[in-house]
C-alpha cells in the first residue's frame, strides 16, 4: 500500500500523511504553500502542488527500468524520499530520508531523482514493500482524494472507439438491408450516380445523407469522384445481389435489430431520439419550444454527469495544450458540468469564468466548482445561448456544442460569438473533426452517426468550421489535438 493523503485541517501542520505498507509518516503542507501564487486559497495551492508532484512521479515510474527516488516530504532540516528499486516485474518500495533541507527543494523540479539524494538512508521503522508498477501508478487512490484535475495516465480513446463501433453496424445494415443503396448504384453501368440523384433516390435530407455517405466512404465501400458517388470494388464484389461472393444476406441478419430499426427511422425522419410523444425530450440540446431532457432535473443530471466523465479526461489536456495566460474572462457556452472552465481556472489564477447553460445542468456545475475550490471565480449563468445576450469575455469556448446542431444553428452561434468578442478576442471551438473530404476518419464518422441520432447535429470538418469563422471576421489557427479524437480550433477577431 502506497498512499498520500491531504487532510485540509485548517492548519498547515500535520495535514499530509504518507503511508507505505503499515508505516505512516505525517508532515506539513507548509512548503507546498510557498510554491504557488499567494492569491489562491491555501487548500487549492497544496492540492495543485501535490497533484503535480504525483503526476511527475507517475511519468517517471511508468518508464522506469532503474532505481528512482521520489520526493515525498519536505521538512526544515531534512526531506523524505521513497526509493523504488526494480525487483523482478515489480518494485521494492522503501521510505528513507536525506539531509537535503525542504527549503532547497521544490515539489515539481525535484519530484524524482535517479541518483540518491544526499546521505539518503532508510527510515527506521519503515519496512520495504513490494509494489507492481500499476500499484505505484495508482498510489492507492491518492489522486482522487486530492480533487485536483490532472491528465489520465492511460489514453481512454480505444474505449470510446469500441463504444461507438455499434454505429458502424447500424449504418452498414441500414444501407444494405433497408435503403438498398448498392442496388441503386448498380442501375448505372459503372456503379456511380450523381450525388443529387442518389440522395433523391434514397429520399434522405442533407444531414442524414451526409452522415451515411461519410461513414460508408470511411469504411471503404463508397468513393466520390467529383459530383458522383460510386461503389468501391470491395462493395461491388460483396454488397450487390447475385454476385458470386455477395454477403448481403449475412448483413441482413441484423436488419430487424431494434438499434438498426431505430437508426433507419432516424435517417428517414431526420429527427433525434427523444422527441416522439411519450418520450423525455432530446438529450443535450435545448431550444425554446423544444422538449428537452436538459430541463428535467434527473435527466439533466444523468446526461451532464455522463459527459463529465469524458470532460475530466479531456479538459486538463485542453487547458495544458491551449494556454490562455493573459485571458481575463472565459465564457464557456453550453459549458455543462463546467469542467472545462474549472481546468482553466485551476491553471490561470487571475482568470474568471462564466458558464452559460440550462438551470438544471448548472446545479451539477455548482457542485464541481465547490469541490475543486474555484466557486468564487466561476459564475454560473442560466440562459439560452440562442436568445440571451452573451456577457463580455476575451475568450469564448464552444466545447462539444456545435456538433449538437445543424448548419444554420452552427453559423448563428459562431456569428453571435464573433460579434460579441473584442478585437483580438478568441473563439475556441473544441470538438472532433472530420477530414475536409468527408471520407473519415472512421471513428469520427461513427461518432457523427451517434451525434446525428441523439441530437440535431453531426461531426463537421475543419474546412466547414473555418469557413463559418472566416465569414465572421475570425482568422483561424489549429486544430491542436487534445484527447479522445478532440482538438481545438482558435479564431482570433481581427
Ligand atoms: C454536449 S454538451 C457539452 C457540455 C460541455 N461543454 C462539454 O464539452 O462537456 C452540450 C451542452 O449545451 C447545453 N445547451 C444545449 N442547448 C442550450 C441552449 N439553448 N442554451 C444553453 N445551453 C444549452 C446543454 O445543456 C449541454 O450542457
Amino acid at each position: 500500500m502506497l498512499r498520500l493523503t491531504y487532510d485540509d485541517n485548517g492548519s498547515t501542520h500535520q495535514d499530509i500523511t504518507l503511508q507505505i505498507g503499515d508505516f505512516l509518516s505525517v508532515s506539513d503542507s507548509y512548503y507546498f504553500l510557498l510554491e504557488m501564487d499567494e492569491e489562491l486559497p491555501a487548500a487549492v495551492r497544496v492540492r495543485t502542488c501535490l497533484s503535480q508532484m504525483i503526476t511527475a512521479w507517475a511519468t517517471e515510474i511508468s518508464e522506469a527500468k532503474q532505481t528512482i527516488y521520489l520526493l515525498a516530504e519536505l521538512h526544515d532540516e531534512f526531506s523524505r524520499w521513497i526509493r523504488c528499486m526494480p525487483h523482478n516485474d515489480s518494485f521494492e518500495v522503501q521510505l528513507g530520508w536525506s539531509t537535503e533541507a525542504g527549503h532547497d527543494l521544490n515539489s515539481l523540479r525535484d519530484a524524482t531523482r535517479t541518483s540518491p539524494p544526499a546521505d539518503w538512508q532508510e527510515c527506521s521503522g519503515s519496512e520495504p514493500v513490494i509494489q507492481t508498477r500499476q500499484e505505484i501508478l495508482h498510489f492507492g487512490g491518492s489522486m482522487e482524494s486530492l480533487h485536483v484535475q490532472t491528465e489520465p495516465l492511460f489514453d481512454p480513446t480505444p474505449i470510446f472507439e469500441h463504444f461507438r463501433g455499434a454505429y458502424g453496424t447500424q449504418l452498414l445494415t441500414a444501407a444494405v438491408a433497408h435503403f438498398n443503396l448498392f442496388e441503386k448504384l448498380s442501375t448505372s453501368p459503372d456503379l456511380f450516380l450523381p450525388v443529387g440523384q442518389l440522395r433523391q433516390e434514397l429520399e434522405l435530407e442533407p444531414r442524414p445523407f451526409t452522415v451515411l455517405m461519410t461513414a460508408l466512404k470511411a469504411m471503404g465501400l463508397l468513393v466520390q469522384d467529383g459530383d458522383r458517388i460510386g461503389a468501391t470494388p470491395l462493395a461491388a464484389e460483396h454488397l450487390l445481389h447475385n454476385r458470386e461472393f455477395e454477403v448481403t444476406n449475412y448483413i441482413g441478419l441484423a436488419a430487424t435489430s431494434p438499434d438498426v430499426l431505430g437508426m433507419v427511422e432516424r435517417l428517414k425522419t431526420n429527427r433525434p431520439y427523444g422527441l416522439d410523444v411519450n418520450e423525455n425530450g432530446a438529450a443535450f440540446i435545448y431550444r425554446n419550444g423544444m422538449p428537452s431532457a436538459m430541463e428535467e432535473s434527473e435527466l439533466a443530471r444523468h446526461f451532464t454527469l455522463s459527459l463529465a466523465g469524458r470532460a475530466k479526461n479531456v479538459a486538463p489536456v485542453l487547458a495544458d495544450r491551449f494556454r490562455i495566460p493573459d485571458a481575463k474572462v472565459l465564457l464557456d457556452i453550453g459549458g455543462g458540468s463546467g469542467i472545462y472552465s474549472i481546468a482553466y481556472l485551476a491553471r490561470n489564477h487571475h482568470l474568471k469564468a462564466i458558464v452559460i447553460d440550462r438551470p438544471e445542468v448548472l446545479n451539477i456545475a455548482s457542485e464541481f466548482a465547490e469541490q475543486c475550490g474555484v466557486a468564487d471565480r466561476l459564475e454560473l449563468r442560466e440562459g439560452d445561448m440562442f436568445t440571451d445576450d452573451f456577457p463580455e469575455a476575451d475568450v469564448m469556448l464552444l466545447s462539444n456544442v456545435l456538433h449538437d446542431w445543424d448548419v444554420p444553428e452552427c453559423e448563428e452561434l459562431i456569428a453571435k460569438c464573433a460579434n460579441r468578442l473584442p478585437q483580438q478576442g478568441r473563439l475556441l471551438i473544441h470538438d472532433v473533426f472530420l477530414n475536409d473530404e468527408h471520407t473519415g476518419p472512421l471513428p469520427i464518422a461513427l461518432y457523427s452517426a451517434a451525434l446525428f441520432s441523439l441530437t440535431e447535429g453531426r461531426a463537421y470538418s475543419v474546412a466547414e468550421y473555418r469557413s463559418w469563422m472566416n465569414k465572421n471576421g475570425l482568422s483561424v489557427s489549429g486544430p491542436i489535438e487534445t484527447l479522445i479524437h478532440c482538438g481545438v480550433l482558435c479564431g482570433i477577431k481581427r
Side-chain angles (χ1 to χ4, degrees):
M1 161 68 85
L2 176 58
R3 183 192 285 272
L4 187 68
T5 44
Y6 167 57
D7 166 25
D8 178 15
N9 62 13
S11 131
T12 59
H13 300 297
Q14 308 243 305
D15 50 359
I16 294 181
T17 308
L18 176 67
Q19 179 177 7
I20 296 191
D22 295 331
F23 185 83
L24 292 183
S25 174
V26 179
S27 63
D28 304 334
S29 63
Y30 169 74
Y31 293 90
F32 298 110
L33 275 189
L34 302 179
E35 289 176 20
M36 284 196 78
D37 190 337
E38 284 180 17
E39 285 181 21
L40 281 175
V44 175
R45 275 188 277 166
V46 173
R47 288 191 168 116
T48 306
C49 282
L50 286 171
S51 80
Q52 286 175 345
M53 189 174 82
I54 295 177
T55 305
W57 291 1
T59 310
E60 201 64 40
I61 287 290
S62 63
E63 304 269 292
K65 294 197 172 45
Q66 81 277 47
T67 300
I68 305 277
Y69 294 82
L70 311 175
L71 176 61
E73 285 178 23
L74 301 157
H75 297 265
D76 275 350
E77 282 150 5
F78 68 98
S79 47
R80 281 201 216 271
W81 298 75
I82 305 165
R83 184 184 63 196
C84 300
M85 212 157 52
H87 179 91
N88 300 328
D89 287 338
S90 299
F91 289 88
E92 183 193 285
V93 175
Q94 169 73 55
L95 186 64
W97 65 280
S98 150
T99 53
E100 287 187 51
H103 286 293
D104 298 330
L105 296 164
N106 172 290
S107 68
L108 189 57
R109 188 192 62 220
D110 301 303
T112 65
R113 294 257 172 96
T114 47
S115 53
D119 311 316
W120 188 89
Q121 51 191 289
E122 294 175 8
C123 287
S124 60
S126 159
E127 298 291 328
V129 291
I130 301 296
Q131 296 271 284
T132 64
R133 198 183 294 267
Q134 273 326 88
E135 283 168 335
I136 303 184
L137 285 173
H138 290 297
F139 300 108
S142 299
M143 274 307 211
E144 284 80 359
S145 71
L146 293 176
H147 296 309
V148 179
Q149 287 186 338
T150 50
E151 297 183 18
L153 292 172
F154 302 101
D155 182 348
T157 307
I159 297 173
F160 281 77
E161 290 185 1
H162 297 311
F163 176 70
R164 292 166 181 165
Y167 289 97
T169 311
Q170 294 173 21
L171 291 178
L172 176 62
T173 312
V176 171
H178 290 270
F179 290 95
N180 287 321
L181 173 87
F182 295 97
E183 293 308 313
K184 290 189 162 57
L185 290 172
S186 73
T187 57
S188 152
D190 65 354
L191 305 179
F192 274 74
L193 285 178
V195 175
Q197 182 184 338
L198 181 61
R199 185 164 83 76
Q200 235 174 15
E201 292 196 14
L202 294 171
E203 298 179 34
L204 291 176
E205 298 284 324
R207 187 176 73 114
F209 182 73
T210 303
V211 168
L212 185 61
M213 294 300 110
T214 303
L216 294 171
K217 286 180 204 167
M219 290 175 200
L221 300 173
L222 288 181
V223 65
Q224 186 142 358
D225 180 14
D227 68 350
R228 300 171 82 231
I229 289 185
T232 60
L234 171 70
E237 181 170 32
H238 299 295
L239 296 178
L240 287 175
H241 295 319
N242 305 322
R243 299 273 170 125
E244 186 181 358
F245 295 109
E246 68 146 302
V247 294
T248 52
N249 290 333
Y250 194 93
I251 304 296
L253 289 171
T256 54
S257 99
D259 286 350
V260 170
L261 294 175
M263 176 56 82
V264 170
E265 180 71 7
R266 309 270 76 78
L267 289 165
K268 284 183 177 167
T269 60
N270 192 19
R271 270 160 59 87
Y273 282 111
L275 293 183
D276 289 340
V277 183
N278 297 330
E279 288 189 320
N280 293 316
F284 309 120
I285 52 176
Y286 167 83
R287 198 187 321 98
N288 208 355
M290 155 200 278
S292 168
M294 307 321 266
E295 302 295 277
E296 307 290 330
S297 179
E298 288 289 301
L299 290 170
R301 173 169 287 273
H302 166 70
F303 286 123
T304 304
L305 287 178
S306 71
L307 294 188
R310 178 180 61 180
K312 278 185 190 166
N313 283 274
V314 186
V317 183
L318 172 66
D320 283 339
R321 298 209 183 147
F322 193 94
R323 296 178 183 228
I324 51 169
D326 305 325
K328 293 186 179 58
V329 180
L330 167 70
L331 178 63
D332 188 356
I333 302 157
S337 64
I339 285 173
Y340 287 89
S341 286
I342 292 170
Y344 272 115
L345 291 172
R347 286 158 182 77
N348 299 276
H349 305 134
H350 299 285
L351 184 70
K352 181 188 162 204
I354 306 170
V355 173
I356 297 187
D357 211 301
R358 306 305 300 155
E360 296 295 344
V361 173
L362 292 180
N363 290 334
I364 289 101
S366 165
E367 291 165 21
F368 280 119
E370 287 293 339
Q371 248 176 45
C372 299
V374 297
D376 55 335
R377 291 185 292 134
L378 184 63
E379 185 187 330
L380 303 176
R381 194 176 278 219
E382 298 177 3
D384 178 345
M385 63 191 176
F386 292 110
T387 55
D388 289 326
D389 287 341
F390 288 161
E392 252 177 57
D394 46 353
V395 179
M396 295 186 179
L397 174 64
L398 285 166
S399 175
N400 299 310
V401 168
L402 295 174
H403 66 208
D404 290 344
W405 298 97
D406 208 345
V407 174
E409 286 83 8
C410 290
E411 295 208 56
E412 180 185 339
L413 281 176
I414 289 175
K416 186 168 171 180
C417 292
N419 280 336
R420 189 68 177 108
L421 276 175
Q423 293 297 317
Q424 303 302 320
R426 284 167 288 177
L427 171 62
L428 308 184
I429 296 184
H430 180 250
D431 220 304
V432 296
F433 304 112
L434 286 172
N435 64 27
D436 291 350
E437 300 74 35
H438 282 192
T439 58
L442 182 60
I444 310 299
L446 299 187
Y447 181 40
S448 188
L451 295 167
F452 159 76
S453 57
L454 294 171
T455 72
E456 294 189 356
R458 64 169 171 87
Y460 297 100
S461 65
V462 169
E464 289 173 297
Y465 285 124
R466 187 179 284 123
S467 77
W468 300 330
M469 291 163 98
N470 288 160
K471 211 194 278 185
N472 287 286
L474 302 175
S475 43
V476 180
S477 62
I480 294 172
E481 196 183 323
T482 57
L483 202 66
I484 317 184
H485 298 299
C486 291
V488 60
L489 278 175
C490 173
I492 300 190
K493 183 159 169 179
R494 301 285 187 206

